Amino acid sequence: MSDELSRLARRLEEDAARLSEDGVGDEEAARLASEIARTAAEAAAIVERTLREPMPAPRVPGQGSLPVED
């Protein structure tokens, strides 16, 4: 997992923990819910971008490079 995704995951966990605490007022709960939705959307965009990046072909064992002659 990338550093950015790790950071976002920690932030989601922290905000979700605060949201579940007793005594959270309506305004604070709405703010936290909005922040959680924004952070989750940001994480989803990173995952989608990562999945759409072209993947290099895997190297097959025993396959080498051919020498290039001038």
Side-chain angles (χ1 to χ4, degrees):
M1 184 180 329
S2 73
D3 291 340
E4 183 68 9
L5 279 177
S6 295
R7 183 187 67 77
L8 292 173
R10 278 192 306 276
R11 194 167 177 185
L12 285 168
E13 289 171 353
E14 291 167 1
D15 287 347
R18 279 190 275 155
L19 185 60
S20 66
E21 292 175 355
D22 289 336
V24 174
D26 291 343
E27 288 182 22
E28 179 68 4
R31 186 192 68 73
L32 285 167
S34 178
E35 185 64 23
I36 288 169
R38 189 197 63 72
T39 304
E42 187 178 344
I46 291 171
V47 169
E48 185 174 337
R49 220 176 17 253
T50 301
L51 291 175
R52 291 182 185 271
E53 289 177 0
M55 301 292 286
R59 292 198 70 156
V60 177
Q63 211 174 28
S65 299
L66 296 174
V68 177
E69 296 181 21
D70 291 326

